[in-house]
Amino acid sequence: MKKISVFFFLMAVSAFKAQTISGTIISKNENQPVPYVKIGVEKKTTGTISDGKGKFSIDLSGLDPQQKVKIAVPGYEVYEETVQDFKMHNLQKIFLIEKTKNIKAIAIKPKKLVDKNWGVNTKTKNVLYSVNPAVHQNNFLGETALAFNAKKRSKIKNINLNIAHFTSTEPVLMRYSIYSEKGGFPDKNILDEEITVQLTEDMIKDGTYTLDVNDRDIWINGKFFVGIQFLKAFNGNIKISAALLKTGFIREFYGDWKKMTIAAPAINIDVKMDKNGKETKDDNGFADDDVPQGWIADNSNNIQEADQSIYGKNESAGKYMKLKDTDLYYEVYGEGEPLVLLHGNSGSIKDYYQQIPVLSKQYKVIAVDTRGQGKSKDISKRDFSYQLFADDIKALLDHLKLDKINIVGWSDGGNTGLEFALKYPDHLNKLVAIGANAFPEGVENKLIEHFTSQMTQLNQLGSAETINERRLLKIMITEPNISKADLNTIKSPVLIIAGDRDVIKQDHTEFISKEIPNAEMKIYKDTTHMVPFEKPDQLNADILNFLGKK
């Protein structure tokens, strides 16, 4: 590999005092500008990116003269020089020599390779990474990454990014990087050439932008990271879906990488893996050593199966009930005693895809999309509340001419069930509350901190298009507010269920069960907050057994 050659045409010595340094990055081999090069200070968040013609300006005011200025772009050797020396080269060209590529032939029979998909597949529109140059002018150019672990040598075919919202009046310039691992963090970029794309809305299909890198021959083995970075300001904003309680990594320019243990960007990759590789207990390729207390499991398969199921979009079973400010969508299955299913925050009917077929054999299952979620429309501007959701269920009950119902509620749905039990006790037979809480402090602190931080970002946007997201976040931060005395008044039989790795604190689950006079409690082993996904058979059996008791 050739050593780097960087040549500067020096100006007068007076330029030494300049604090804002400008220049142009040029490829020595081709004598052409090198666009979108990162110029920054090592271990600092100070930096800039050259424009499409290789031109840049960087403010080096107040920096230690002995700190290193770093210039890097895939395909070229990294250049480093002290701030003191770099200031002497203002308004000149910087010539970079390309790396020498040593391409080795790879001979692997196609039959030895199998298709795999690794990473975060969520397409949530509630937990998001927001990229908005207008709001975050100083740090929107930061880089985010996700960790992977290839147990056997594999080739990356596609890099997928799930995008919940895209608004821009121009193409959005992005760069992809693949990093090696050192000490649990991204280290060196292993790509021989840059991967830069100009993203437009029509390139996003079904909420996913898929970048085909099959012809680039990117082979990986062991731990590595896939990173994305926005290279240029744009007029608009992008929201990338994120998975709660998985670890993401972020940095600004050449600052240190930092872990974001509360959420990870929805980056996933399609790979060809050597099928002769040793199978491991965790073969999904996702490397996460910092999942807090094991709160989360990979439910991407459940999410995909729910999306592919008929539930939540079954025209033959679905209807709307019109209220003053909402059209409430619901689906009805089976015959018998009425059983209402209520999903969690930002969920929908489809989340019960493993429960509806079983429960509807013995009950008249009424699965509801809570207002402002799923297919239920809401045109009001008022805050959401669990009492409001309970009022909606009472209105649906009246609409269907039902006197008493059973309720199975998961997460927010369980909270709504508790509020219904308090407000409409004469119309509730039995309640099953899964992963419910009586007040916000019952939720793990880190999760509330994440919601609060995201709420701050959404409030800064102040856009009409984010009102639903703000309302859904706010309800989790501020509600419910059910007291011990309130719980004492619930007369209906109640079954409280939670996972032993739930985001609802176990002592809080025990508190709810203890304070409700006719409550039973079940804690599922090796289970997170996603009980209906992870333990469907056990849950279905417990629901049927509980509802069937005299």
Side-chain angles (χ1 to χ4, degrees), residues 4 13 21 42 109 119 158 179 212 222 230 257 272 292 299 326 330 360 365 371 441 456 460 484 499 522:
I4 184 171
V13 176
I21 308 302
E42 191 170 27
K109 296 180 180 180
N158 300 308
Y179 293 101
D212 185 346
F230 295 87
W257 285 96
K272 285 282 189 181
N299 287 294
T326 187
Y330 65 97
S360 62
V365 171
R371 71 161 60 210
E441 292 77 11
T456 300
Q460 289 174 342
K484 174 180 177 180
K522 288 208 168 187

Side-chain angles (χ1 to χ4, degrees), residues 85-97:
D85 291 339
F86 191 77
K87 287 180 179 180
M88 299 176 64
H89 309 315
N90 190 30
L91 298 176
Q92 297 302 316
K93 297 178 180 179
I94 300 176
F95 291 94
L96 302 179
I97 293 178

Side-chain angles (χ1 to χ4, degrees), residues 292-472:
Q293 301 181 26
W295 291 342
I296 202 71
D298 183 7
N299 287 294
S300 55
N301 288 338
N302 297 106
I303 294 170
Q304 290 177 0
E305 290 173 2
D307 287 339
Q308 294 167 3
S309 75
I310 194 172
Y311 302 111
K313 55 189 176 186
N314 188 348
E315 294 183 1
S316 64
K319 294 181 179 180
Y320 281 96
M321 178 190 67
K322 288 188 175 295
L323 296 174
K324 180 180 179 181
D325 52 11
T326 187
D327 291 342
L328 201 70
Y329 180 77
Y330 65 97
E331 294 180 356
V332 180
Y333 299 91
E335 297 292 338
E337 190 177 329
L339 170 59
V340 174
L341 302 184
L342 303 176
H343 60 76
N345 193 291
S346 301
S348 74
I349 291 169
K350 66 184 179 182
D351 295 340
Y352 282 112
Y353 79 101
Q354 296 181 94
Q355 282 69 50
I356 294 174
V358 177
L359 301 180
S360 62
K361 291 179 181 179
Q362 298 186 39
Y363 293 88
K364 182 177 184 177
V365 171
I366 305 163
V368 183
D369 276 346
T370 307
R371 71 161 60 210
Q373 300 163 72
K375 294 179 70 175
S376 289
K377 306 179 181 81
D378 181 273
I379 60 173
S380 72
K381 303 301 181 184
R382 58 176 168 167
D383 287 343
F384 289 151
S385 73
Y386 296 118
Q387 289 184 344
L388 173 61
F389 294 163
D391 291 342
D392 288 344
I393 299 306
K394 177 58 168 60
L396 179 60
L397 183 152
D398 294 340
H399 174 73
L400 296 175
K401 296 180 171 57
L402 300 173
D403 181 42
K404 272 196 171 186
I405 59 173
N406 299 294
I407 294 178
V408 171
W410 173 18
S411 193
D412 272 26
N415 300 347
T416 300
L418 290 173
E419 293 286 10
F420 190 92
L422 290 169
K423 195 168 186 179
Y424 303 106
D426 294 337
H427 299 282
L428 178 65
N429 183 19
K430 293 183 178 181
L431 167 65
V432 180
I434 307 160
N437 57 296
F439 37 82
E441 292 77 11
V443 180
E444 289 288 353
N445 297 338
K446 284 188 177 181
L447 191 54
I448 294 297
E449 289 172 5
H450 172 75
F451 290 153
T452 303
S453 174
Q454 189 177 17
M455 189 69 180
T456 300
Q457 294 183 33
L458 288 175
N459 285 335
Q460 289 174 342
L461 291 178
S463 167
E465 67 187 19
T466 65
I467 184 173
N468 217 50
E469 295 172 1
R470 295 201 303 270
R471 290 189 294 186
L472 289 170

Side-chain angles (χ1 to χ4, degrees), residues 151-254:
K151 301 296 185 178
K152 196 69 177 180
R153 191 166 181 268
S154 304
K155 178 184 179 183
I156 302 178
K157 294 168 50 186
N158 300 308
I159 303 175
N160 306 304
L161 182 65
N162 291 349
I163 300 174
H165 176 81
F166 181 98
T167 299
S168 180
T169 59
E170 59 193 307
V172 175
L173 195 64
M174 298 170 54
R175 174 173 289 148
Y176 287 75
S177 299
I178 311 293
Y179 293 101
S180 60
E181 181 267 350
K182 183 177 181 181
F185 289 89
D187 187 29
K188 297 179 180 178
N189 194 335
I190 66 174
L191 295 177
D192 289 329
E193 57 185 354
E194 67 172 347
I195 302 178
T196 301
V197 300
Q198 296 189 51
L199 183 64
T200 56
E201 188 172 12
D202 63 332
M203 296 164 67
I204 303 169
K205 308 297 183 182
D206 297 323
T208 300
Y209 169 60
T210 297
L211 175 66
D212 185 346
V213 295
N214 190 55
D215 61 349
R216 293 178 180 266
D217 288 323
I218 304 172
W219 291 86
I220 36 83
N221 194 2
K223 291 186 177 182
F224 65 99
F225 298 80
V226 176
I228 57 171
Q229 182 179 25
F230 295 87
L231 300 176
K232 181 182 177 183
F234 57 93
N235 182 24
N237 65 84
I238 296 174
K239 297 171 185 174
I240 301 169
S241 295
L244 283 176
L245 311 178
K246 288 181 180 288
T247 300
F249 295 78
I250 60 171
R251 73 166 175 176
E252 293 182 46
F253 288 97
Y254 296 120

